Amino acid sequence: MKLYKLIVIFILLNLNNSFANSIDLNHKITKNLRCLVCQGQSVYDSDSDFANSLKILVVNKINEGLSEKQIYSFLKNKYGEWILYDPELNKNTYLLWLLPVLLFLVGGAIIIRKFNKIKK
Amino acid sequence: MKSKFFLFISLLIFLIIFFIFYKGLQKSNIYKPSVELNNKIPEYSSSLLDLDREINYSDIFKSENYYLLNIWSSWCVPCRAEHDLLMDLSKNKKITLIGLNYKDNINNAKEFLNELGNPFKLILVDVDGIQAIEWGAIGVPESFLIYKNEVLKKYIGPLDKNLLNQIKLLIE
């Protein structure tokens, strides 16, 4: 009897866990999608018709077994890259991606030079 | 020497920023990145408004004819405005109008058509907005000109006289 109860509890916990996982993934994806009809809101934050439909669609796609990347590429096919908050590295965005690295290197170089001067 | 160098650098930075901002002034502030979209019609099936069965998209747009898919709703005010134009277009033999009823109450949708006329050959029902997303639409009204299973043109917002003439020219 005890073993039986333990098994039931174990199964319930597991179910709960997998449910929570799919909700987490759902939130992660919708937070990464731009609501195209809103100003500066993610799909997760918005309550517009468009965002609500997208939320349902994302849940459906997760249940169909699509991965996060597959869902992104599905939506990119429909709406273009603009719907993703995470821009890819291409000729339009290389400045965006490389500028922080460049600034970091220049800043680091300045600091190192200063230190060297102080040492001397 | 050093102060000259700093003067030069700050002047250079100022000029660069000035140039970028000056360029930015002339641009429109509505950001709409160009996108290369998949023009094929989506693979999906839908229920119909007045018939009790499901239909595949590929079965709807199969004949060698022009199609206009119009996303509409009875609660959408601009749809009401463009409806006369759709009625006008439906008289044209070269194009078939397909309606996609977006997030609507079925009874209200039927009432809307009874009141203003039905330009559509088929009306698909999209209860939760999923199909509109499959089409890559962001709201109502929106229209897609389709030929040989491909979307030729996408019209966001209500159609007007100019756009209607453009469609008529395209299908001639």
Side-chain angles (χ1 to χ4, degrees):
Chain A
M1 196 59 207
K2 223 176 184 181
L3 190 72
Y4 174 72
K5 271 185 188 165
L6 269 177
I7 289 173
V8 168
I9 289 173
F10 182 74
I11 289 173
L12 278 178
L13 279 177
N14 250 356
L15 270 181
N16 190 25
N17 191 27
S18 69
F19 185 60
N21 275 345
S22 89
I23 285 187
D24 275 352
L25 182 63
N26 175 18
H27 286 179
K28 190 183 167 204
I29 293 173
T30 48
K31 277 176 187 171
N32 254 329
L33 297 175
R34 188 188 309 274
C35 170
L36 295 175
V37 295
C38 324
Q39 300 241 324
Q41 264 188 321
S42 69
V43 165
Y44 177 82
D45 291 321
S46 169
D47 198 31
S48 66
D49 270 323
F50 174 71
N52 285 336
S53 300
L54 257 181
K55 283 175 202 162
I56 299 172
L57 181 107
V58 168
V59 171
N60 289 352
K61 293 281 171 195
I62 290 172
N63 290 340
E64 278 171 28
L66 264 73
S67 72
E68 193 183 341
K69 272 199 173 150
Q70 282 170 315
I71 295 175
Y72 288 151
S73 78
F74 169 83
L75 289 169
K76 217 177 90 179
N77 252 329
K78 305 280 180 204
Y79 293 102
E81 208 193 336
W82 181 231
I83 197 162
L84 303 180
Y85 268 128
D86 192 11
E88 282 174 351
L89 185 65
N90 61 31
K91 74 175 191 323
N92 288 325
T93 56
Y94 73 91
L95 196 66
L96 178 77
W97 280 99
L98 295 181
L99 202 61
V101 180
L102 225 70
L103 285 178
F104 178 77
L105 289 178
V106 170
I110 290 174
I111 291 170
I112 287 172
R113 272 186 70 174
K114 285 251 162 170
F115 267 110
N116 281 348
K117 262 188 189 166
I118 290 168
K119 262 188 192 168
K120 273 177 190 174
Chain B
M1 181 64 203
K2 204 175 175 185
S3 69
K4 254 190 183 170
F5 176 71
F6 266 101
L7 191 71
F8 176 71
I9 288 288
S10 36
L11 204 68
L12 189 73
I13 290 174
F14 173 78
L15 278 176
I16 290 173
I17 292 176
F18 180 82
F19 181 72
I20 291 173
F21 282 0
Y22 187 74
K23 273 273 171 192
L25 268 182
Q26 295 150 1
K27 270 192 174 174
S28 107
N29 57 358
I30 302 165
Y31 182 56
K32 227 179 171 187
S34 60
V35 283
E36 281 167 30
L37 294 177
N38 184 1
N39 287 330
K40 286 261 174 288
I41 62 163
E43 290 165 23
Y44 213 79
S45 66
S46 165
S47 52
L48 296 166
L49 184 71
D50 31 18
L51 297 166
D52 200 21
R53 66 187 175 99
E54 290 253 323
I55 189 161
N56 271 327
Y57 280 175
S58 52
D59 293 333
I60 304 174
F61 303 102
K62 64 183 172 190
S63 81
E64 292 236 336
N65 201 346
Y66 283 96
Y67 291 93
L68 189 81
L69 179 95
N70 180 253
I71 302 178
W72 65 282
S73 203
S74 66
W75 48 261
C76 144
V77 179
C79 301
R80 202 167 270 271
E82 73 169 2
H83 204 82
D84 278 343
L85 298 171
L86 293 177
M87 291 299 288
D88 180 29
L89 191 64
S90 69
K91 288 173 196 146
N92 195 320
K93 285 272 180 325
K94 283 185 179 155
I95 191 162
T96 309
L97 272 70
I98 309 285
L100 181 69
N101 188 238
Y102 180 80
K103 288 191 174 179
D104 206 352
N105 175 310
I106 299 293
N107 292 329
N108 290 345
K110 285 180 177 165
E111 221 167 85
F112 180 91
L113 293 176
N114 281 338
E115 187 191 329
L116 296 168
N118 183 0
F120 305 116
K121 189 185 161 212
L122 276 178
I123 298 166
L124 314 170
V125 180
D126 186 12
V127 182
D128 44 17
I130 298 288
Q131 289 181 51
I133 290 176
E134 289 283 345
W135 282 100
I138 55 175
V140 275
E142 214 161 299
S143 308
F144 299 81
L145 188 64
I146 297 156
Y147 183 59
K148 286 187 178 170
N149 284 326
E150 259 183 51
V151 177
L152 296 182
K153 241 176 160 27
K154 177 174 163 183
Y155 302 95
I156 298 175
L159 296 171
D160 56 26
K161 281 228 165 80
N162 284 333
L163 290 176
L164 195 77
N165 287 334
Q166 196 189 328
I167 292 173
K168 282 180 176 169
L169 277 177
L170 273 172
I171 62 179
E172 274 315 312

